[in-house]
Each structure stands twice: as C-alpha cells, then as structure tokens.
Amino acid sequence: MKTFSETRAGINRKVNQDCFLCEEEAVGDLPNLFIVADGMGGYNGGDFASKFCIENVKNHIVNGKGNSIISSIRSAIKAANEGIREKSRMDEGLRGCGTTAVLATIKDDILYIANVGDSRLYVLQKGRLSQITEDHSVVEEMIKRGILRREEARFNSNKNKVTRALGAEPEIEIDFFEVKLEKGDRVMLCSDGVSNMMDERTLEEIIGDDKELSEICRILIETAVNNGGKDDATVVMIEV
C-alpha cells in the first residue's frame, strides 16, 4: 500500500477547517485508518469540530476491542457526534459547530467506508473513476427529486448546505459501503473543496495519471485553487 495526503486552506480562509488522518499502520483492531473531516460553524467552530472528530474517532477505535469493523466505526462516529454536541453546549463560541466525515479502512482487499455529509470517497479501478459515497446535501436531494441536473450541481448556490453532519443531531445516521479492491486500484478521500472545484472527468484524468501519489495530490489541490479555491481543500490518496 502507498499513501499520500495534503490539505490547503481556501484562498480567502484564515483558518483551515478541514482535518485528515492517513494512518497506514494498525489503529486498534483496524489494520489502517483514513479520514477526511470538513468542519463548519463560525471562526473557531469548524476547526474545532473536524479536529475533535478525527482525534476522538481514532481514540475510540484504539480503545475498543473485539468489535467488528462496522460496529467499531459506527460506535466511534457516534461517540464523536455526542462529544461535539456536548462541547458546543458548554462553549458559546462553539454553538452550532459540526463536521462531515468520510472514513475508510482496508482489510483483506476489502475497502470499508463510512460517510456522513458531503466529503467524498472515490475508487479508480481499471482507469475508471467511481464515486462510492453519496452526498448528504441539499443539492443531492434536489437532484434526486429531478429539480436539478447533476452537471449543474457544482454551480448551485446550495452546494455547501449539508443535510447530515456530526454535531447536528443527537442521533446520527451513517452510510456504509464495501468495495472489493484489486492490485493497482486507487482510492481518494476528499473534502468538497476539491470535488466542488472540478468535474468528474477532470478528477478521473488526474487520479488515473501515471504519477506518484504525492504529485497527484499536489495537482488536485492546485487545480482546486486555480479553479477558484473558495473552500479548504483536502485529499487523502491510497494505492493498493
């Protein structure tokens, strides 16, 4: 396995509210762990929420023993959700903060994925890119209802409004996915500061290029910045 990760604040952002984890080694009972979290909620709130999510999910998994992969991940995300809500109740400056989270681990060539919000996970297999996660967003709901065409979604004024996030509600609904991987496949986790700034064809061309993962991450971030860089941009790349 090869990995690389990179993050950069948006052009007009003083604080990068994205946070990520790229851990190739074992985390508790999980053989590896990859997370991208995109915080929201005021000057300090988003920054706090994304970091809290990453740290608490990792710590919960480290301290949990004997659970299945899915139950371990579910328990960790629920604990992080409760923690963010508790902190926001105690600190007025964190009131209303929250974060997205897309998480992955690979065991025995199976990619296990959990998602809350609109950060995404893509898999490139045999040169073809597939978005595995489904956005929990106002725009995605509009697409499902036939109000908006998918090719118009990136330019819609509602594209940054999420319908699920850690910290938003007492009970959190988490989507889970599994993908069988083969040697040479690439996996990308990213915040919407990347996926909103280029179309899927561009993503496929960059991720599928015969370059090192470090160069692919650099190109993805720079493309996002060159296309406007309105939001913080974070990428975690994995090659199996």
Side-chain angles (χ1 to χ4, degrees):
M1 180 189 295
K2 298 177 183 177
T3 66
F4 197 83
S5 49
E6 186 170 344
T7 188
R8 190 181 302 180
I11 290 174
N12 297 317
R13 298 290 185 92
K14 293 181 179 179
V15 176
N16 187 343
Q17 296 189 332
D18 286 359
C19 193
F20 69 88
L21 178 71
C22 183
E23 184 58 73
E24 293 183 32
E25 302 302 322
V27 176
D29 288 338
L30 301 186
N32 43 67
L33 185 59
F34 309 97
I35 312 173
V36 168
D38 179 358
M40 60 199 78
Y43 182 74
N44 294 318
D47 179 41
F48 160 79
S50 61
K51 288 180 180 178
F52 185 95
C53 170
I54 298 287
E55 292 170 359
N56 279 260
V57 165
K58 180 178 179 180
N59 289 339
H60 192 88
I61 291 172
V62 165
N63 293 320
K65 297 295 180 183
N67 295 320
S68 69
I69 289 176
I70 298 303
S71 63
S72 178
I73 292 170
R74 179 183 284 111
S75 176
I77 292 175
K78 286 187 173 184
N81 181 61
E82 292 168 4
I84 291 170
R85 288 181 60 78
E86 179 64 23
K87 291 287 187 179
S88 67
R89 282 194 295 268
M90 295 170 58
D91 187 339
E92 183 67 31
L94 300 177
R95 192 63 53 85
C97 72
T99 184
T100 70
V102 59
L103 179 154
T105 186
I106 302 171
K107 183 176 182 180
D108 299 330
D109 297 325
I110 302 295
L111 175 67
Y112 298 88
I113 306 139
N115 184 55
V116 178
D118 63 352
S119 292
R120 294 179 178 178
L121 184 142
Y122 293 86
V123 173
L124 183 86
Q125 295 182 309
K126 296 185 170 78
R128 183 155 191 176
L129 188 70
S130 300
Q131 180 183 332
I132 306 302
T133 55
E134 181 178 294
D135 294 350
H136 305 135
S137 67
V138 171
V139 161
E140 188 63 29
E141 291 297 325
M142 293 171 69
I143 292 169
K144 287 180 179 178
R145 294 174 186 172
I147 299 171
L148 185 69
R149 291 185 298 175
R150 189 164 295 281
E151 56 268 26
E152 299 170 336
R154 287 198 303 122
F155 308 102
N156 189 275
S157 59
N158 293 305
K159 67 178 180 295
N160 293 320
K161 296 179 181 178
V162 297
T163 55
R164 291 190 214 171
L166 278 76
E169 299 290 342
E171 296 297 324
I172 190 163
E173 186 177 354
I174 309 162
D175 286 355
F176 289 93
F177 308 87
E178 294 181 18
V179 177
K180 179 75 167 67
L181 298 177
E182 297 180 1
K183 185 173 176 58
D185 288 350
R186 286 176 171 173
V187 178
M188 180 182 76
L189 295 79
C190 70
S191 61
D192 67 341
V194 174
S195 56
N196 276 344
M197 300 311 297
M198 63 195 85
D199 58 33
E200 194 159 301
R201 183 172 180 178
T202 302
L203 281 172
E204 184 175 83
E205 289 174 353
I206 296 171
I207 297 169
D209 205 346
D210 187 22
K211 289 184 171 70
E212 292 295 324
L213 296 188
S214 57
E215 182 69 2
I216 288 170
C217 285
R218 183 190 66 78
I219 294 170
L220 285 166
I221 297 288
E222 289 191 355
T223 301
V225 170
N226 292 338
N227 286 350
K230 297 177 182 179
D231 203 351
D232 307 323
T234 300
V235 177
V236 172
M237 286 291 308
I238 308 158
E239 184 176 299
V240 296

